[in-house]
Amino acid sequence: MKNELLTIGPFTVYGYGLMIAVGVLMGWAVAEVRARKLKLAYEHIFYLVMWCAVGGFVCAKILYWITDWKEIIANPSSMLGTDGFVVYGGIIGGILTGYIYCRIKKLDFLRYFDLMMPSIALGQGFGRIGCFLAGCCYGRETACPLSVIFTNSDFAPNGIPLIPTQIYSSLLDFLLFFVLLYIAKHKKADGQVAAAYLIFYSVGRFIMEFFRGDMIRGNVGVLSTSQFISIFTGIAGIILFIFTEKWNKNKEYA
């Protein structure tokens, strides 16, 4: 694939960065439209998206440093590179930043948590397209006709048929976006949309990891780092789903 989409003088448009930007903008637009329909304080959405994006990128980078600590020790200057992020770090960082913002602004966190998670899934769908253009997050070598061969990637092995895990992940993220919108229309308590995201994304990511070929991201025993984290985010989603209705009832009677 081609990551350098357009070059004008010293300025280059990279596919990965462009898709990340598109994902953030689309997520923001969808969240603001939904906030207006739900009669939430839509004026906070822009700031919430920006702060969550910053917190997400920072934590995604930190988790990448942790998983690739051997390379960091061998070459400390690689810490400053613009490549190298772990999605789970972004998810966790975005949630924590969003929680802090809601606490500061005295917003109902669970309601805005529900509001934002479909947008997160949407943004991830575009982000994975960026991964495909760059060649990162690539799949294992395969003899299957449904494969992709990179010829000019700085990340994936070139000239070898690989499972297009980036495309599969993107499709699953877009599917999750629509599933979450459906759940949002039928939820019985605040927090259930966010819980569904944590459960479905964790299960999908755990399975997808079996087809990934970029083992540089580290492992915990027989599990990849992301599979290990998926277990805990999935459990967190189940706990959140079980207790959301009880928490919301207690809030009503408080």
Side-chain angles (χ1 to χ4, degrees):
M1 298 303 106
K2 186 176 178 59
N3 191 30
E4 296 184 8
L5 300 180
L6 177 66
T7 299
I8 303 176
F11 181 75
T12 301
V13 177
Y14 292 94
Y16 181 80
L18 176 63
M19 287 298 103
I20 292 294
V22 170
V24 171
L25 291 174
M26 290 295 293
W28 167 35
V30 170
E32 184 158 326
V33 168
R34 295 184 62 236
R36 290 175 183 269
K37 288 183 178 179
L38 295 171
K39 300 189 185 308
L40 296 176
Y42 62 86
E43 62 272 12
H44 286 284
I45 301 304
F46 172 79
Y47 301 103
L48 191 57
V49 169
M50 291 300 104
W51 279 112
C52 287
V54 171
F57 281 122
V58 170
C59 289
K61 194 65 174 179
I62 292 174
L63 189 53
Y64 174 76
W65 291 339
I66 294 173
T67 58
D68 199 27
W69 62 272
K70 292 182 180 179
E71 172 63 24
I72 299 300
I73 292 176
N75 182 23
S77 63
S78 64
M79 294 180 66
L80 303 178
T82 56
D83 60 312
F85 297 93
V86 176
V87 169
Y88 263 125
I91 294 172
I92 296 170
I95 292 173
L96 289 176
T97 307
Y99 175 76
I100 293 171
Y101 182 90
C102 288
R103 290 283 293 181
I104 293 174
K105 297 297 183 180
K106 295 180 170 47
L107 302 174
D108 188 328
F109 172 66
L110 286 181
R111 295 191 71 185
Y112 284 86
F113 197 9
D114 277 355
L115 174 72
M116 297 303 299
M117 295 321 287
S119 291
I120 296 298
L122 179 63
Q124 287 178 302
F126 285 103
R128 286 305 183 189
I129 295 175
C131 292
F132 184 67
L133 293 174
C136 60
C137 308
Y138 54 87
R140 293 174 180 255
E141 184 175 349
T142 181
C144 177
L146 295 176
S147 62
V148 59
I149 298 176
F150 293 94
T151 58
N152 190 31
S153 173
D154 293 329
F155 305 101
N158 293 295
I160 299 174
L162 303 173
I163 300 173
T165 48
Q166 309 97 326
I167 296 300
Y168 295 150
S169 296
S170 178
L171 292 175
L172 287 175
D173 287 330
F174 287 135
L175 175 61
L176 181 56
F177 166 69
F178 289 109
V179 169
L180 293 177
L181 288 182
Y182 176 83
I183 293 174
K185 292 182 179 179
H186 299 84
K187 70 175 184 178
K188 296 180 179 179
D190 291 332
Q192 290 184 343
V193 177
Y197 170 88
L198 292 173
I199 295 169
F200 292 147
Y201 182 81
S202 298
V203 171
R205 184 60 187 270
F206 190 94
I207 295 172
M208 188 61 64
E209 284 293 299
F210 288 112
F211 302 96
R212 292 274 292 264
D214 51 340
M215 291 296 101
I216 192 174
R217 295 166 298 111
N219 62 282
V220 180
V222 297
L223 302 176
S224 71
T225 302
S226 292
Q227 284 178 319
F228 182 73
I229 297 174
S230 292
I231 294 174
F232 295 98
T233 53
I235 292 174
I238 293 172
I239 293 174
L240 178 59
F241 188 85
I242 291 174
F243 287 100
T244 46
E245 191 166 355
K246 179 180 179 180
W247 290 341
N248 279 273
K249 284 184 178 178
N250 289 339
K251 186 170 62 176
E252 289 176 6
Y253 292 108

